[in-house]
Every structure is written in C-alpha cells, then in structure tokens.
Amino acid sequence: MAQGVATLDGPVIDEATRVYRKVTWRLVPFLFACYVAAYLDRVNVGFAKLQMLNDLKFSETVYGLGAGIFFIGYFVFEVPSNMILHKVGARVWIARVMISWALISAAMMFVTSATMFYILRFLLGVAEAGLFPGVILYLTYWYPSERRGGIIALFMTGIPVAGLVGGPLSGWIMNAFSGMHGLAGWQWLFLIEALPSLILGFCVLAYLDNGIAQAKWLTADEKALLERNVAADASSVGAHRFRDGFTSPWVWLLSGIYFFFIMGLYGVGFWLPTLIKGAGVSDPLQIGFLTMLPYGAAAAAMITVGRMSDAARERRWHIVVPGLVGAAGWLVSIWYSKDLVVAEAALTVATIGVLVTLAQFWCLPTAVLAGAAAATGIAVINSVGNLAGFVSPYLIGWIIDATKSTSLGVYTLAACLAIGSALALTMPKRLVNR
C-alpha cells in the first residue's frame, strides 16, 4: 500500500488521512443533514409555542410537560432501538426512524387539546429513539477514538445549524402561511418542517452502507486500512459485551454527567425564543433571525474545539471549560435580560458553551466502550441523560408559572452545567484522553 499521496499543491499526505477524508466526505454531510432535520422536528415546538399556547389556551406548564414528554418515549425505546440497529444494520433502521418520526411530526398540526399534544409528543419520542445514539455507534464502525472528537463535533453541528436555519425558517412560515386554507401558522410549521425528514428517510435506503465491508465506493486496500484501525482501537477497550453497557460503572457516571449537560441544551432549544421575546422582541420572524447568532457562533466553536481536542488528545478540560463558560452565559443573560444587546451576547456565549460541551462529551463513552457494549452503553447514556429533556422544559415551565419570571429557571440551567462540568473531571484521564 502506498504510504503517501501528493496533493495538487505538492505536499504529501499519509494514506490514512486521505482515506479518512474520503470516508468523511461520503458519510458526515449526509448524516449531518439527517440530524438537522431531526433536531428541527424535535424543537420546532419552541417556535410553535409563540402562537399555539394562545390559540389552544395552554398554560406554560402544559407546554413544558408536552415538550418534555417526548423524552419519556425516547427513554423507553432508545436501548432496544440501538440493539436492533447493531443487529440489522444502520441503513434500514435509520430509514425507519426518520420516516416514522416525519409522519408523527406532521400530525402535530392536528393538535386541539392538551391530551392530544402529550400523546403525539410521546409518540414522536418513540419514533425518533435511536437516531442520535445510532449515529454515534455507527461512527465507531468507521473511526478510531483518536479521530472521533472532530467527527462527532462536525455531526453535532446539526444542532446549531438546525437553530441557524430553523429560526428564520420557522418565523417566516408562521408569518407567511398564517391563515392560509384556514390553518394557523404553527400548523403549517409542523407540516412543512416534517417534509425534509420524510425525504431523507427514503434517501437513507439508497445511500447509507451498514459498515466498511459493504462500502462499494472503497477499494480493498482502503477497507483493510479502516478495518485494521478500528479493530486495533477496539482491542484497547475493556467493555465489549451487551451487558457491559448496563453494568459498567462508567456508563452510569457518564449518564449522570450527560443528564446535567442536557438540562442546559434544552434550555437553549425550548426557551431561547422565549428569552429573546422577553428582551423586548415580539415579531416571530425577528425572533427567528436573532436566534441565528447564538447557533452560528456555536457551530464554528464546535468544529474548532473538536479539532483542538483531537490534536491534543485531551478530552476532560475541553468539556469542563466550555461548560463553565456556558453557565456564566446563562447567568449574564438573566442579569441583563432587558438589555437586548447584552442579553443576545450572553445567550450566544451560553449556547456556545452548551453545544461545545455536548459535542466533546461523546468522546468519553466511545473511549471506554466498544462493540456490543457501545451499542447498549451509548443508548443507556443518551436515554438516561435525555430524561433531562423531560425534566428541563417541565421544570422551567412550572417555575415560570409559579414565579412569573424566568430568572430562577435559568439559574437552574447554569447550576446544571456547572455540576456536569465538575463530574466530568472525575473521569480518569488515562481512560478518556485518547
């Protein structure tokens, strides 16, 4: 096998770098697009809230419970979903996930009561369970641990990009389509934003390979290189069996860390439009545009920090520092909540901290789990952690109703990021700095 390849500019790159670039260009943009569509369908209820609460006479508590009940279905079905993916392959299972959640997300337009809102949000969680942990697991089939920090960060920029695109798009849909054919703007929002997920779900069947061996776009030598690297990486990990994903103490510590970080994430996803509105902006389209800055800055930071983390082979401080920065951003956003410029800057810092922390977090589980243990362990961590997606919006909604203020709720989000950061430092660096 050739040891290096000359580029157009003259320098020689090693063969592994060339092959991994090829894999990345093939897989990551497509998986990224799927995640953007998924995350948009998960959190567009945050924009729909600006109209539907008044139309349907829902309280903040009803909204918070409905937004969060998604994660009950997500929790119950996530581990089985990842186990099925590991057995039947990513292509068919990810397609199933995307098509089913697209149909349920579109059905949200028919909500007329709190009960119906709760049921559809629960079913949406059931349908989507397995996409994110499934993709994280899928990436371990292709990349060794020392290359995953940047790759996972690239994939997870789907979260801020969904916000970057989804904010203005959601605001525009709610303004432009309001009243068309007798439907409210929020009803059109659910219908239109479900279409990309449906289309991409069918594209998965034609495009995605289950693993290295099935990739016809790779040569035999390229497959051998990738398989050799993945096998060598997996051999250095102690947990490989399905049951290790349930019994390893690291899995449960990581689940707790992730829980606190997810509290901060859904503070962004479900309450950012509300916090911007509280700073004095009322038009949905303007609110949409103002959400672009936090998400755009976060996307750039995620990629930058991911590359730094891989280059340094250091994981813990690349999690802790952004987590503490995010906590500080939440605090400042409350202290200056009536000053739009300062509040927007603080919300941007908070969003950067939350999303960089989450992207780097996923370097930890993939460093201590491999094979079948990764299938169950990643799903356990993600499902337990995402229970915060239930707790966070419901708790914040209840606090807003009880105190008539968002301040105490946001203080809670900041505290959660700080606790998660402190817990991350308890992971031994010898295990995770790979």
Side-chain angles (χ1 to χ4, degrees):
M1 184 185 300
Q3 297 301 307
V5 178
T7 67
L8 292 176
D9 297 324
V12 173
I13 60 172
D14 65 88
E15 180 70 0
T17 298
R18 183 193 67 80
V19 174
Y20 280 111
R21 284 181 182 174
K22 183 177 181 179
V23 171
T24 299
W25 279 109
R26 170 77 184 192
L27 297 181
V28 175
F30 182 72
L31 294 172
F32 166 86
C34 293
Y35 194 44
V36 169
Y39 201 79
L40 191 61
D41 285 343
R42 185 187 301 186
V43 302
N44 59 9
V45 70
F47 271 93
K49 168 183 182 283
L50 300 175
Q51 292 180 352
M52 70 184 297
L53 261 65
N54 183 62
D55 288 355
L56 302 178
K57 310 304 180 188
F58 288 173
S59 68
E60 292 283 356
T61 304
V62 167
Y63 164 74
L65 179 58
I69 207 168
F70 168 97
F71 296 98
I72 301 300
Y74 197 82
F75 171 79
V76 171
F77 286 89
E78 189 150 352
V79 173
S81 181
N82 236 31
M83 294 174 70
I84 293 171
L85 183 150
H86 189 64
K87 288 184 176 294
V88 307
R91 186 176 66 88
V92 170
W93 196 246
I94 289 177
R96 191 286 305 164
V97 168
M98 295 192 66
I99 292 168
S100 60
W101 100 54
L103 296 175
I104 295 169
S105 184
M108 287 286 294
M109 67 183 291
F110 299 114
V111 168
T112 57
S113 67
T115 300
M116 193 173 180
F117 181 46
Y118 299 153
I119 291 172
L120 285 176
R121 286 291 295 177
F122 175 82
L123 292 176
L124 187 64
V126 171
E128 193 183 324
L131 177 76
F132 178 79
V135 171
I136 296 297
L137 174 65
Y138 183 66
L139 292 174
T140 69
Y141 299 163
W142 296 86
Y143 296 93
S145 58
E146 69 267 17
R147 293 181 181 268
R148 287 184 203 140
I151 294 301
I152 291 174
L154 277 173
F155 167 64
M156 289 188 66
T157 54
I159 297 176
V161 169
L164 191 66
V165 175
L169 176 64
S170 298
W172 176 76
I173 290 171
M174 290 170 67
N175 273 356
F177 288 82
S178 182
M180 188 176 293
H181 299 295
L183 298 176
W186 62 268
Q187 292 176 298
W188 281 109
L189 176 67
F190 286 124
L191 176 62
I192 293 172
E193 291 190 351
L195 294 178
S197 298
L198 185 65
I199 294 168
L200 284 167
F202 286 103
C203 290
V204 168
L205 291 171
Y207 187 82
L208 207 62
D209 298 297
N210 285 332
I212 296 169
Q214 293 76 36
K216 296 179 180 179
W217 43 275
L218 291 171
T219 67
D221 284 348
E222 290 169 341
K223 290 180 182 180
L225 183 152
L226 294 170
E227 289 172 340
R228 185 167 59 250
N229 288 350
V230 169
D233 184 66
S235 68
S236 66
V237 177
H240 288 82
R241 299 166 299 179
F242 271 124
R243 70 180 185 183
D244 291 333
F246 295 102
T247 60
S248 170
W250 302 124
V251 168
W252 296 103
L253 173 59
L254 289 165
S255 298
I257 295 169
Y258 196 51
F259 180 91
F260 286 109
F261 288 155
I262 289 290
M263 287 289 289
L265 172 64
Y266 289 108
V268 175
F270 290 131
W271 298 104
L272 184 58
T274 300
L275 293 172
I276 292 174
K277 184 177 181 180
V281 182
S282 58
D283 181 71
L285 183 57
Q286 291 182 20
I287 293 173
F289 278 114
L290 285 171
T291 63
M292 291 178 69
L293 177 58
Y295 286 121
M302 289 168 76
I303 294 170
T304 301
V305 175
R307 290 174 176 171
M308 291 169 58
S309 176
D310 278 350
R313 297 284 186 92
E314 199 290 320
R315 307 302 184 186
R316 298 187 308 166
W317 287 106
H318 285 83
I319 294 170
V320 172
V321 172
L324 296 178
V325 167
W330 280 127
L331 294 177
V332 175
S333 74
I334 286 299
W335 296 338
Y336 295 90
S337 60
K338 298 304 180 183
D339 186 322
L340 180 59
V341 174
V342 177
E344 176 79 359
L347 290 171
T348 299
V349 170
T351 304
I352 289 171
V354 167
L355 293 177
V356 169
T357 298
L358 283 169
Q360 289 307 298
F361 168 85
W362 283 105
C363 295
L364 305 185
T366 57
V368 298
L369 300 167
T376 52
I378 289 170
V380 167
I381 292 164
N382 197 54
S383 60
V384 171
N386 269 291
L387 284 177
F390 171 77
V391 174
S392 179
Y394 180 69
L395 176 63
I396 303 301
W398 179 82
I399 289 172
I400 291 174
D401 280 341
T403 66
K404 307 304 178 185
S405 170
T406 58
S407 297
L408 185 57
V410 177
Y411 287 142
T412 302
L413 298 177
C416 287
L417 282 176
I419 293 169
S421 299
L423 288 175
L425 279 178
T426 67
M427 290 292 295
K429 64 179 181 181
R430 61 180 175 79
L431 289 180
V432 299
N433 285 353
R434 300 171 55 203

